[in-house]
Amino acid sequence: MHPALQPLAERLVTYLAAHWRLPVSLRTVEQIPGGASRETYRVRVEAAGEIRGLIVRRDPKTSLIDTERALEYRTYAAVHAAGFPVPEPLILEEDPRHLERPFSVMAEIPGCETSVAALRDPARAALRETVGHNMWSLLGRLAALDVDALGLDAFMERPAHAAARELDYWAGVIEQDALHPQPVAAATVRWLRRHLPQPSGRLVLVHGDYRTGNFLYAPDGAITGVLDWEMAHIGDPLEDLAWSLDPLWAWPERHLAGGLLPREDAIRTWEAASGMHVNRAAFRWWQIFASLKALAIWISSTEDFMNGESKEPILAMAGWIMTDRQNRILVDRLHPAARHTYTEPPA
Amino acid sequence: MIPQPARALADLAVKLAQSIAPEAGSAYAMANTGLISMLLLAMAQDQDRAVANRVADIEDLKALFAAAAAAHPDAPQAGRRAAFQTGPLPGLRLSELDPWHAEGLAALIELHAWADANDPALSLRIWDFLVSHTERNRFDLPGA
């Protein structure tokens, strides 16, 4: 264990012992890299003779994404109860006395990977394809879940116009957080307002950040846990599909969606699993929106890095390199004579 | 003095990624060392070109504003654009150039919004500028 983690580990063990009313001892603790919205720790403890693997997510001092931890936790609980593959939520503690900031505890799903970089190896092409089909099939399953049966209305707003609501929110983030004028973002917001789709015919649970890197997969390619529900909301079923297909997640390999599957295969897989048909005109709107939302997150992280307490390198990375790529993607999508260097031509 | 600071920064990035990151004591430290190495490579690129790119953007914006003034002398915010068009460069430090660059981009956003509704050819020309602007500021990183 890194010595810097010792005080946190000791306080956590004290907390768990009180919470479970069991003697608890620490086995291991390590910080997991890449937790852009929460500090994330993998912890193993022994409680009443049993080894338990836990994932602890603590609020950061500042974050890439400003989110509501209770909403995320309740979403985990709702989809877990519905049999959707997510880590089992165990504890939500909002009192900052225990670990200085609020935190949640989930059961660890062992023996899985999140990175798909290793699947670029041509020798693993079959596994890559399996993971890809499972990724979009599972997203289709999510879109098919019944919002009423999940009980989401108890803690999520049901929008009258999902596209307008999302656009207003993320355009506001850009307006509030941009440290320098953003002509690409401004032009995109104007385009999106001019081409706003009709209100969604069907509202579903939107994950909000469904992409490669945000799920766990087993050695056989099965997806065992979908992670990072902090941007979950009730919205349009095309939103998650468009987000999952943004060229940024496949960079620099733009021919495979998410680095996994040909884009049209991914869409067909989603359609089969969701039972819905992708309206291509509406989908173009959601794809452009997805790139704008990502740009808003990168702009916001730049502001966090410069003005906030956290100096996590991921914030600088998002603000610098991701902003550059997302700007190029949006110009490529919206230029009236686009060359489609970074994006696919409209279907 | 190191006469090629961009190369020196890139060399430090490689040192960090290839020699120091593997010695980091945890996955968290190793991942962040890798990120900082990538950021150093990006800084190396930007360090060399940033002033030239800001000046190129400003020159392109002046040309756009001149074309807009000739075609649409009564378009909104013409005075703001004229002031930018005729204003001298405030200096060659980024800290001096950036506020002026920001003023030009803010004026461009207003002009683009107006052109979208009133002059498709001007709007297209602004999109062409946005292609040049984003491409000249792109980061090219090995393996990413």
Side-chain angles (χ1 to χ4, degrees):
Chain A
M1 176 175 64
H2 194 283
L5 298 180
Q6 183 80 33
L8 175 79
E10 286 173 1
R11 294 174 77 165
L12 178 66
V13 164
T14 302
Y15 175 87
L16 292 173
H19 186 84
W20 287 335
R21 297 178 186 178
L22 290 171
V24 175
S25 60
L26 181 74
R27 287 299 187 92
T28 59
V29 59
E30 61 176 324
Q31 187 163 6
I32 298 175
S37 53
R38 302 266 187 276
E39 291 173 8
T40 309
Y41 302 88
R42 180 181 292 113
V43 182
R44 285 213 165 72
V45 296
E46 185 171 347
E50 181 191 348
I51 303 294
R52 296 189 186 184
L54 307 171
I55 300 295
V56 177
R57 283 161 60 77
R58 180 169 71 155
D59 278 19
K61 291 176 181 169
T62 55
S63 161
L64 199 65
I65 302 163
D66 296 326
T67 55
E68 173 55 58
R69 82 192 67 80
L71 179 143
E72 181 186 25
Y73 188 86
R74 294 179 78 176
T75 308
Y76 266 108
V79 296
H80 184 263
F84 197 78
V86 292
E88 181 185 3
L90 301 174
I91 300 169
L92 173 65
E93 180 52 71
E94 302 202 85
D95 187 337
R97 277 181 309 164
H98 306 287
L99 296 187
E100 295 177 348
R101 279 164 263 143
F103 64 96
S104 63
V105 181
M106 313 264 173
E108 183 190 17
I109 300 176
C112 298
E113 290 211 39
T114 55
S115 170
V116 299
L119 300 179
R120 287 183 195 160
D121 181 352
R124 306 185 79 190
L127 178 60
R128 183 180 67 215
E129 195 173 320
T130 301
V131 172
H133 278 293
N134 288 339
M135 174 183 170
W136 278 284
S137 178
L138 196 57
L139 184 60
R141 264 183 60 198
L142 177 66
L145 291 177
D146 185 318
V147 167
D148 293 326
L150 288 168
L152 301 178
D153 283 316
F155 58 97
M156 285 182 181
E157 174 212 349
R158 194 181 283 250
H161 194 305
R165 195 260 321 255
E166 290 302 305
L167 177 56
D168 284 348
Y169 178 79
W170 290 105
V173 168
I174 292 169
E175 192 173 324
Q176 183 179 314
D177 288 350
L179 300 178
H180 203 75
Q182 300 288 329
V184 176
T188 305
V189 169
R190 290 196 305 274
W191 187 94
L192 289 166
R193 290 204 192 286
R194 283 199 304 274
H195 297 87
L196 205 62
Q198 293 294 310
S200 309
R202 178 174 172 184
L203 292 173
V204 303
L205 173 58
V206 175
H207 177 279
D209 194 11
Y210 192 92
R211 58 175 171 81
T212 45
N214 267 349
F215 58 78
L216 299 163
Y217 65 94
D220 66 355
I223 292 180
T224 52
V226 177
L227 311 173
D228 291 351
W229 293 75
E230 55 260 50
M231 290 193 284
H233 56 275
I234 297 174
D236 192 284
L238 294 181
E239 183 181 344
D240 267 340
L241 181 62
W243 179 262
S244 73
L245 294 173
D246 194 88
L248 191 72
W249 316 132
W251 208 279
E253 172 53 88
R254 293 184 289 277
H255 306 294
L256 292 177
L260 293 172
L261 210 59
R263 169 190 164 74
E264 289 300 318
D265 286 1
I267 293 173
R268 276 192 296 274
T269 302
W270 182 88
E271 286 182 325
S274 67
M276 296 181 219
H277 173 68
V278 173
N279 173 323
R280 295 302 175 122
F283 190 55
R284 174 163 162 76
W285 191 94
W286 282 106
Q287 283 190 286
I288 291 165
F289 168 76
S291 296
L292 179 84
K293 172 179 164 179
L295 181 58
I297 292 170
W298 314 142
I299 286 170
S300 188
S301 68
T302 308
E303 194 277 334
D304 259 0
F305 184 76
M306 295 302 288
N307 298 333
E309 284 184 61
S310 171
K311 298 301 172 191
E312 285 292 319
I314 189 74
L315 296 176
M317 184 87 178
W320 232 330
I321 293 164
M322 301 312 195
T323 298
D324 155 47
R325 292 176 182 174
Q326 210 76 55
N327 268 322
R328 281 188 274 154
I329 288 169
L330 280 166
V331 169
D332 202 44
R333 285 205 188 283
L334 287 173
H335 188 294
R339 292 175 208 157
H340 298 292
T341 307
Y342 307 110
T343 63
E344 73 297 333
Chain B
M1 145 186 173
I2 294 179
Q4 292 176 285
R7 208 189 83 195
L9 275 173
D11 287 345
L12 287 170
V14 171
K15 177 72 178 171
L16 193 59
Q18 295 185 354
S19 302
I20 298 174
E23 298 291 324
S26 70
Y28 177 77
M30 193 183 293
N32 278 323
T33 309
L35 286 181
I36 292 170
S37 169
M38 279 184 78
L39 286 165
L40 277 174
L41 284 174
M43 283 172 61
Q45 286 179 33
D46 216 35
Q47 187 274 341
D48 191 49
R49 72 191 183 188
V51 167
N53 280 0
R54 300 292 197 280
V55 171
D57 278 351
I58 289 168
E59 291 304 314
D60 284 357
L61 289 168
K62 285 182 173 183
L64 270 170
F65 295 166
H72 308 287
D74 299 325
Q77 302 294 328
R80 183 183 193 180
R81 290 190 294 278
F84 185 82
Q85 216 183 307
T86 54
L89 280 182
L92 288 177
R93 291 175 185 275
L94 282 176
S95 55
E96 295 166 327
L97 277 172
D98 273 344
W100 192 237
H101 184 259
E103 168 61 16
L105 290 181
L108 178 80
I109 290 171
E110 291 172 349
L111 180 64
H112 201 181
W114 182 86
D116 278 351
N118 297 284
D119 185 346
L122 178 60
S123 177
L124 178 60
R125 201 167 156 185
I126 294 172
W127 277 112
D128 288 340
F129 164 76
L130 293 176
V131 172
S132 305
H133 166 68
T134 51
E135 287 296 327
R136 71 169 61 109
N137 287 292
R138 65 185 278 167
F139 292 107
D140 290 309
L141 302 171

